[in-house]
């Protein structure tokens, strides 16, 4: 567990928090490939990636991967290509395609968004994993690569926000070591319904513990001959969590 904050007082005796004499404004993330053991993150290119992504997404027969996204599903390839083309030129969000390292096949999509260099904060979002990527090492590594790159650039805070009803996303955030920070009620609306937004985040202080936890989990020797994990990532990241969603007083009232 990281050392607690050393709160400072001003001359009037008021607590003013932790001084940031070392803080520097980080650079905006660049559109560049991020290489891992199991996957590569490539800047989204609709011409290269649309068909493979669309085919991979169609394996989700009931369209459940689109439930908590503000767009989709895309029945027609042409509609998906159009959306990807617009998204690929965006400065914020910055979209990346998840490519399986061994085959080069596109199996998912995610992005940086709400990039705020002045505050040193950055968010991950627009996560859409096809069935080919779900519950795989490459999916975990894709998120690790985004986190690692963000903290290497000098960001102090890595955020994850989701619909408070999205149990899968909440569990994923906590598995990755992002602490629950609260729920913004009626934060927005989409697809004709209200959205209460759950907030999760990891800080640069957390990263000192999280980075070796990820590296331990992703190592080849953490998996047996059948591909089953030996150490779970949830157990490795649990000491970093400051609060879980289940500790929220209203969590038990959700369906």
């Amino acid at each position: 567990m990281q050392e607690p904050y050393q709160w400072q007082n001003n001359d009037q005796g008021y607590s003013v928090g932790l001084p940031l004499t070392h803080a520097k404004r980080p650079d905006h993330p660049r559109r560049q490939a991020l290489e891992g053991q199991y996957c590569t993150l490539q800047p989204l290119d609709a011409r290269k990636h649309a068909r493979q992504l669309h085919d991979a997404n169609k394996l989700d027969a009931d369209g459940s991967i689109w439930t908590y996204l503000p767009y989709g599903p895309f029945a027609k390839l042409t509609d998906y290509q159009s959306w990807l083309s617009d998204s690929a030129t965006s400065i914020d969000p910055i979209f990346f395609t998840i490519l399986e390292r061994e085959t080069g096949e596109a199996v998912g999509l995610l992005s940086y968004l709400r990039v705020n260099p002045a505050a040193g904060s950055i968010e991950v979002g627009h996560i859409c994993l096809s069935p080919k990527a779900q519950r795989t090492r490459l999916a975990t590594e894709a998120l690790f690569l985004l986190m690692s790159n963000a903290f290497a650039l000098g960001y102090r805070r890595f955020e994850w926000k989701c619909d408070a009803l999205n149990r899968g996303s909440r569990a994923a955030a906590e598995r990755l070591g992002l602490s629950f920070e609260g729920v913004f009620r009626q934060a927005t609306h989409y697809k004709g319904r209200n959205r209460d937004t759950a907030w999760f985040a990891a800080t640069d202080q957390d990263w000192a513990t999280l980075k070796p936890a990820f590296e331990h989990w992703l190592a080849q020797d953490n998996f047996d001959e059948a591909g089953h994990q030996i150490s779970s990532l949830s157990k490795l990241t649990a000491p970093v969590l400051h609060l879980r969603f289940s500790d929220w007083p209203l969590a038990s009232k959700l369906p």
Side-chain angles (χ1 to χ4, degrees), residues 2-17:
Q2 69 269 19
E3 292 297 318
Y5 283 100
Q6 300 299 313
W7 303 111
Q8 305 292 309
N9 292 334
N10 66 8
D11 293 339
Q12 292 75 39
Y14 293 104
S15 179
V16 293

Side-chain angles (χ1 to χ4, degrees), residues 96-127:
F96 294 86
T97 304
I98 305 170
L99 303 178
E100 186 179 14
R101 185 68 183 268
E102 188 173 335
T103 65
E105 184 180 0
V107 295
L109 202 65
L110 40 60
S111 78
Y112 286 129
L113 71 157
R114 296 186 178 88
V115 182
N116 187 346
S121 67
I122 192 167
E123 184 179 339
V124 61
H126 296 283
I127 302 169

